[in-house]
Every structure is written in C-alpha cells, then in structure tokens.
Amino acid sequence: MTKLVHLLVGLCCEVCRCRDVLWLDPVRGLVECRECGQTAITLPVEDGGEAA
C-alpha cells in the first residue's frame, strides 16, 4: 500500500517552530503542520528544474 502523505523529516514549522511535524500531501499539493494545523500550498516549478 502506498502512503498518501509523507513526513518531512528535519524540517520545522515556521509558525509553531516544532520539528518533524510537517506532512506533505503531494496529491493535494499541501504541507500541513500536525502540531498547530498551519497549511501551505506547494506549487510545481514550471520549467521542470529546481526552484531558484
């Protein structure tokens, strides 16, 4: 079974500053903090390369 969300290890939430609580949902394009509930939208890079 494939996981639908991935834990972002080593990163911290900018709002609550907790570490290892961010989860990426690549299908919806969201990152969510499981501690404070803050969410952020991720946007794909248009040219297929890395973000500048």
Side-chain angles (χ1 to χ4, degrees), residues 2-50:
T2 307
K3 288 185 181 180
L4 296 178
V5 295
H6 306 280
L7 175 63
L8 300 176
V9 178
L11 298 178
C12 66
C13 176
E14 189 64 29
V15 176
C16 68
R17 309 302 290 172
C18 291
R19 189 178 190 112
D20 297 334
V21 294
L22 297 178
W23 290 84
L24 170 65
D25 182 343
V27 174
R28 296 187 306 160
L30 293 176
V31 174
E32 179 182 353
C33 175
R34 294 292 169 102
E35 188 68 27
C36 71
Q38 183 68 30
T39 58
I41 298 173
T42 60
L43 300 174
V45 177
E46 291 295 323
D47 64 1
E50 293 185 18

